[in-house]
Amino acid sequence: MSRKWMLAEQTAERLEKEDGLDRIILEKDNDYTCLTLDECFKMFSEYDGQKVVKEHIEEAFYHSPDGLPIDMFFDYILSVKLDSAEYFIRALTMVKGKYFYMMDVEDQMDNEIFNMLQNRLGSCSDMLFLTCYLKEHEAKFARPFIFE
């Protein structure tokens, strides 16, 4: 655990005790910020040109692991919106601690699913694409996608 992380965790705990509001800790530019649910509503209801509803933000807020980068938190919100939240966590586990390059994984993906997702999702982050791919792969092949 880094010192910055420990300070963010202590700050979140202290603030939660003071005002009774739950907080999530998100990372941005190698620093951590503690946000309440209302702050998340304000920050993420429209983010990067995409709109989401409060229910998606709330579910992501209460189920997301602390410490996610802010842009990945929005990917998690979008995963909730696409009913793929459990696959986001799988994708996060796959790429955590590895050098992840989408180009390396694309070669192992089913072309039909890959092309369908490119058309459906358009321009999106690699993380969101991988999340949706994991869901579609499991639906098509009845087994999880394993990245080797």
Side-chain angles (χ1 to χ4, degrees):
M1 285 185 156
S2 74
R3 180 164 170 71
K4 286 183 179 182
W5 171 256
M6 289 175 20
L7 288 172
E9 200 170 39
Q10 290 169 353
T11 300
E13 288 175 12
R14 180 180 48 77
L15 292 170
E16 286 175 356
K17 285 179 184 174
E18 287 175 9
D19 61 18
L21 298 174
D22 291 328
R23 287 185 166 63
I24 188 168
I25 302 169
L26 298 177
E27 185 269 332
K28 183 177 181 179
D29 300 327
N30 292 322
D31 211 356
Y32 296 100
T33 186
C34 303
L35 299 173
T36 65
L37 183 56
D38 285 342
E39 290 168 335
C40 284
F41 287 153
K42 289 175 188 168
M43 185 178 284
F44 295 108
S45 61
E46 186 169 345
Y47 188 82
D48 202 23
Q50 298 190 51
K51 293 184 179 185
V52 292
V53 296
K54 284 187 173 187
E55 290 81 18
H56 299 144
I57 297 169
E58 186 170 9
E59 185 176 332
F61 181 86
Y62 285 111
H63 293 98
S64 174
D66 279 327
L68 274 181
I70 282 182
D71 56 339
M72 273 196 192
F73 181 69
F74 189 69
D75 286 342
Y76 188 63
I77 294 168
L78 293 176
S79 297
V80 168
K81 179 180 179 180
L82 297 169
D83 196 28
S84 302
E86 70 180 89
Y87 296 95
F88 177 87
I89 301 302
R90 288 186 199 175
L92 184 62
T93 302
M94 286 176 70
V95 302
K96 210 171 201 171
K98 296 182 182 179
Y99 289 105
F100 176 78
Y101 297 102
M102 190 59 140
M103 293 183 329
D104 296 339
V105 179
E106 286 175 19
D107 295 339
Q108 298 177 35
M109 292 180 165
D110 177 78
N111 287 333
E112 182 181 326
I113 297 171
F114 184 88
N115 292 330
M116 180 267 300
L117 288 175
Q118 272 193 320
N119 290 332
R120 186 189 318 158
L121 298 174
S123 177
C124 71
S125 72
D126 288 349
M127 190 68 181
L128 184 62
F129 191 90
L130 178 60
T131 297
C132 293
Y133 182 85
L134 293 177
K135 180 180 179 183
E136 295 298 328
H137 183 278
E138 192 166 310
K140 181 176 181 178
F141 297 107
R143 67 181 196 289
F145 174 73
I146 306 296
F147 166 62
E148 299 172 16

Coordinates of all heavy atoms in Angstrom, one line a residue, residues 3-4 36 50 57 59 76 95 119 143:
R3 N 1.6 5.3 0.5 CA 1.3 6.3 1.5 C 0.1 7.1 1.0 O -0.8 7.4 1.8 CB 2.5 7.2 1.7 CG 2.2 8.3 2.7 CD 3.5 8.9 3.2 NE 3.3 10.1 4.0 CZ 2.8 10.2 5.2 NH1 2.4 9.1 5.8 NH2 2.6 11.3 5.9
K4 N 0.0 7.5 -0.3 CA -1.1 8.2 -0.8 C -2.4 7.4 -0.6 O -3.4 8.0 -0.3 CB -0.9 8.5 -2.3 CG 0.1 9.6 -2.5 CD 0.2 9.9 -4.0 CE 1.2 11.0 -4.3 NZ 1.3 11.4 -5.7
T36 N -18.4 11.4 -2.9 CA -19.7 10.9 -2.5 C -20.5 10.5 -3.7 O -20.2 10.8 -4.8 CB -20.5 12.0 -1.7 OG1 -20.8 13.0 -2.6 CG2 -19.7 12.5 -0.5
Q50 N -21.0 10.8 -23.3 CA -22.0 9.7 -23.1 C -22.8 10.0 -21.9 O -22.3 10.5 -20.9 CB -21.3 8.4 -23.0 CG -20.6 8.0 -24.2 CD -20.1 6.6 -24.2 OE1 -20.9 5.7 -23.9 NE2 -18.8 6.4 -24.4
I57 N -25.0 4.7 -12.1 CA -23.9 5.3 -11.3 C -24.0 4.8 -9.9 O -22.9 4.4 -9.3 CB -24.0 6.9 -11.3 CG1 -23.8 7.4 -12.7 CG2 -23.0 7.5 -10.4 CD1 -24.2 8.9 -12.9
E59 N -25.2 1.9 -8.8 CA -24.8 0.5 -8.8 C -23.2 0.4 -8.9 O -22.6 -0.3 -8.1 CB -25.4 -0.3 -9.9 CG -25.1 -1.8 -9.8 CD -25.8 -2.7 -10.8 OE1 -26.9 -2.3 -11.2 OE2 -25.2 -3.7 -11.1
Y76 N -16.7 1.2 -15.9 CA -17.5 0.3 -15.0 C -19.0 0.8 -15.1 O -19.9 -0.1 -15.1 CB -17.0 0.3 -13.6 CG -17.6 -0.7 -12.7 CD1 -17.5 -2.1 -13.0 CD2 -18.4 -0.3 -11.6 CE1 -18.1 -3.0 -12.2 CE2 -19.0 -1.3 -10.8 CZ -18.9 -2.6 -11.1 OH -19.5 -3.5 -10.3
V95 N -6.3 -7.9 -16.8 CA -5.3 -7.0 -17.2 C -4.4 -6.4 -16.1 O -3.4 -5.9 -16.3 CB -5.9 -5.8 -18.0 CG1 -6.6 -6.3 -19.2 CG2 -6.8 -4.9 -17.1
N119 N -19.0 -2.6 -34.3 CA -20.1 -1.9 -34.9 C -21.1 -1.4 -33.8 O -21.6 -0.3 -33.9 CB -20.9 -2.8 -35.8 CG -20.2 -3.1 -37.1 OD1 -19.4 -2.3 -37.5 ND2 -20.4 -4.3 -37.7
R143 N -18.4 -20.8 -22.4 CA -17.2 -21.0 -21.5 C -16.5 -19.6 -21.6 O -16.6 -18.8 -22.5 CB -16.2 -22.0 -22.0 CG -15.6 -21.8 -23.4 CD -14.7 -23.0 -23.8 NE -13.8 -22.6 -24.9 CZ -14.1 -22.4 -26.1 NH1 -15.4 -22.5 -26.5 NH2 -13.2 -22.1 -27.0

